[in-house]
Amino acid sequence: MKYRKGAHSIFYTRYHLVFSTRYRRKILKHGMGAYIQGILTKSFQRRYPEIEIIEVNTDIDHIHILTSIPPKLSVSEAVRLMKGYSAHAMRKQFKFLNNVYYGSDGVWSDGYFLSTVGVDETTIRKYIEYQGTVDRGQAKLE
């Protein structure tokens, strides 16, 4: 286990987050999934280093994220930052999204799924790693 330090705390937090695209539109195809993974693991991490993105993978209409959020931030605030940053980057890179989502409609749906990760983090990591391929019979979990 890797413990992290804050100004007045030492912590180990792991959250499994799932965001769906608005209207469950299947927009995370081809290079878009890889692009959003890069945005969250590289530029988002530089901008918000206190939120550690451990693992990311996408299916065509949702994204799975394994993250560590410090106790000073609420989970909802961290989710807001991730969704806002990634949606802005995606709309800037993929102009067709402005036609898919009219006006101020965001890329992500309003809600999200959250679970805490306990001692069975390995299972969650494997699930995220094989996301989008297992259910299509292209890979098998061991």
Side-chain angles (χ1 to χ4, degrees):
M1 277 194 225
K2 180 182 157 196
Y3 291 94
R4 297 179 63 204
K5 289 185 177 185
H8 300 284
S9 63
I10 297 174
F11 59 94
Y12 177 84
T13 59
R14 294 289 187 269
Y15 298 97
H16 174 209
L17 295 168
V18 181
F19 309 153
S20 297
T21 57
R22 189 173 289 273
Y23 314 122
R24 293 295 279 209
R25 293 217 167 108
K26 296 170 181 9
I27 60 169
L28 301 177
K29 302 177 196 176
H30 312 296
M32 207 174 208
Y35 178 78
I36 194 66
Q37 288 175 11
I39 285 296
L40 287 171
T41 58
K42 292 181 180 79
S43 60
F44 180 81
Q45 280 279 208
R46 280 192 301 272
R47 176 89 186 240
Y48 302 101
E50 66 275 9
I51 302 171
E52 181 184 11
I53 305 294
I54 301 164
E55 191 90 27
V56 178
N57 208 342
T58 62
D59 204 345
I60 56 177
D61 63 355
H62 63 278
I63 185 169
H64 289 262
I65 303 167
L66 180 63
T67 185
S68 177
I69 300 168
K72 73 176 186 172
L73 276 180
S74 69
V75 173
S76 60
E77 178 67 11
V79 167
R80 185 187 67 77
L81 291 170
M82 283 184 233
K83 282 183 168 184
Y85 191 91
S86 60
H88 178 74
M90 288 169 63
R91 280 180 170 250
K92 190 174 177 184
Q93 180 70 22
F94 302 102
K95 299 293 185 192
F96 77 92
L97 289 176
N98 295 324
N99 297 326
V100 174
Y101 297 110
Y102 306 106
S104 63
D105 275 353
V107 173
W108 304 112
S109 65
D110 292 337
Y112 58 92
F113 168 81
L114 169 75
S115 71
T116 55
V117 178
V119 293
D120 204 12
E121 182 176 329
T122 307
T123 302
I124 298 293
R125 281 180 178 268
K126 198 174 273 193
Y127 176 75
I128 291 173
E129 180 183 336
Y130 290 106
Q131 182 62 37
T133 57
V134 173
D135 55 343
R136 295 190 194 113
Q138 297 171 356
K140 294 190 186 330
L141 289 176
E142 298 172 332

